Amino acid sequence: MSKLPASSIGSTTEEVVPAPAVEPVVAVTSAEERESGGRRLRRLARRLRPGPRVLILLVFLALAVWMFAPAWSSPTTTTLEGGDGDPAIFMWFLRWVPYALANGHDLLVTHHLNYPDGVNLMWNTSLPLPGLLLAPVTATWGPVLSFNLLLVLAYGLSAWCAYLAIRRFVPGHLAAAVGGLVYGFSPAIRVQSHHLHMSLAFLVPLILLALHEILVRQRRSPWLVGTGLGLMAGAQLLIGEELLAMTALLAFAMLLLVVLTNLRRVRERWLYAVKAFAVALVMVSAIILWPLSVQFGGPQRIHGDIQKTNYSNDLQSFILPGWPQALSYDGAGQLVGGFAGGNSAYLGLPLLLVLVVLGVRWRSSPVVRLGLALMAVAAVLSLGPTLLVGGRDTGIPLPWAFFEDLPLLPSLIPSRLAQLTALFAGLLVALFLQAVWKEGGWRRPAAVVVALLVLVPLWPASTVPAEEVTTPAFFTGPAVRNLPRDSVALVLPWPYRRTALAMTWQAEAGLWYRMPGGYFIGPQRDSDLPRFDAIPSSASITLARIFSGVPPPRLTGPRRRALAHDFVRWRVGSVVLGPMPNQAAMVAFMTDLLGREPQQVEGVYVWRDPVVQLTDPGSAPRT
C-alpha cells in the first residue's frame, strides 16, 4: 500500500513525494491548458473573421466608392455639380439638423432660408434622420463630406440590404449578391444619385421582407415583426417620404395578391397578421405623428400636385441602354435621352430573357409567381398614366391614371417606381441562378455566365462626375463672423431653382446668418400649386435676370422704391456678392442701388448696413 507524504499529516520530516510521481500530472495539465487555450483562440479568430455578409458589404461599399471616385478625390471640397443645384439642397438640410439641435431651433421649420416666410421642411427632401445620424461628421468636417458619404452609403447599403432580404429565399450568398447588385446599382437608383431621399433605399427590401413574414411565413413573433416593420416605416418617412409611399403601394399589391391566392388559409393566418399590423401601427404612429402634423398643419404647407410634369417611363426604356450604360450606342442613347423618365427603367435584354425562362420553368414556385407579379405591378405603374412608346404618347390609359385623382399620390413621380421593378428583378435573377447552380454539373459554370450576361449590360459607362465646390474663403473663414449672428444677409447670386450655390455657401458658413430666397418647395401666394423657390418680388426678379445675362434695368424712382420695399421686408443687414456670371454688371447695379462702393473681403463684395437710395446719386457707372 502506498504511503501519504509525511507533510500531509503534519510531520516535521523532510520526506516529500518523489519528483517522477508529480511531473506527469503537471505535464498533462499544461498540455490540456495549451490545447484549451488554442481552442479559445481559434474560436475567437472565427468570431473575428469577417463572414460572407460582411465581405459582401465591403465589396458593395468599395464599388460605391469607385462609382463616386471623382468626389472622393477630395471629399470635403468636391462633390456632384460642384455643390450647386440639387446637391446644394441636401447639403443645406444636412447642415440644418445639427445646427437646429445645437441652437434650439425647430427641426422641421426653418427661417434661415426664405426669410422671413421660412420653409416647411417636411414638404422638402430634408433628410432629418440621416442629418441626425451624421451630425458629428457635418459639424466636424462640413456638409460636403456628409453628402459624399451618403452617396456611397446609398449604393452600398441599398445593395446589401437587398442581398440580405433575398437570402431568405436564396441560400447561396453569391446568387443573392448578384440580386443585390441588380437593385442597389441599378440605373433606376443611379438616375437618383443626386436625390438622396430616393437613392437611400436600403430600408425598402427589409420593409417588404417584414411584410412577407407577416402575410406568408409567420414564423417569428408577431410582436417582434410588427415592431420592426413600424420602426422601419417611421425611419423611411424621415429619409424619403416619396419612397415610403411607393413602397406602401407595392405592399398593398402584395397584400391583395397573397389574400386572393390563399383564400383558404386566410382564416388561420389573420390573427397573426392583425397582431403584427397593430403593433406596427402603434410604432410608426409614435414616430410620424409630429412630422406629419407639421407637414399638413404647420406653416408654409403645400396644396396640390408638387410635380406638375408627367415623368413616366417609356415602354422601350426597359431594353434600350442609355448613355449611362457602357454598352449603349448612338441611336439608343439619343432616343433614351429624350424619354421623360430617362434611363431609370433599363433592365437589359439578358435579364428580361432570364425572367421569361424563370417564369416558364419554375412557375410552380409561389415565390417566383409573387415576385413576377409584383415586378409587373411596379413596372406598369412606372409607365405613368398613358403608354409612351419611343417617346410618343399613344393615349392608351394605364393604371397610374387612377392614382392621379387621389390625394397626395399625384405628387409621386411614376418613373421612380422603377427602383422597385429593379428590386424584384434582382430577387428573380437570384432565384434563377440558385436553381441552376443547385442542379450541379455543367450548369454551374452556365450560371456564372448568365450572371455576367445579366450584369454587364447594367455596367455604367463611367463614374459619376464631380466638381470642386468653389466656396469663397469669406464663408469658410473667420470673416463671415464679422456679420452679426442670425442677421439677414442678401447673398448673390440670388438663390433659386437655377442656381443654389448661395445655399451651399450658407451651409459651409455654419448657418451663421439668415438669408432670403432659396431653392425649396413652398406655396404660391394665390394658388394651390407649389413653387420651387421663393414667391417672386421686384428684387428677386431683377437679381435673377441680371444673373442670367439680362442687362440691369434703369433705376427709376418707382423701381428704387419697389426694391427698397423688399430690402425692408427682408430686414437686410448686409449684401454679400460672390463669384457668379455677369458679376461686374451685378456689382455696378448694387453700387448704384446702394449709393456706395462695396468692400472686397476674402473673395466676395460686401455692403454692410445697406440702405437703398431712393434717388439716383449719379455716381455709379451705368452698364
Side-chain angles (χ1 to χ4, degrees), residues 173-191:
H173 288 283
L174 293 180
V178 171
L181 283 171
V182 170
Y183 171 64
F185 291 84
S186 64
I189 289 185
R190 172 162 176 157
V191 166

Side-chain angles (χ1 to χ4, degrees), residues 23 63 87 452 479 544 593:
E23 287 180 353
L63 186 56
L452 292 175
L593 179 67

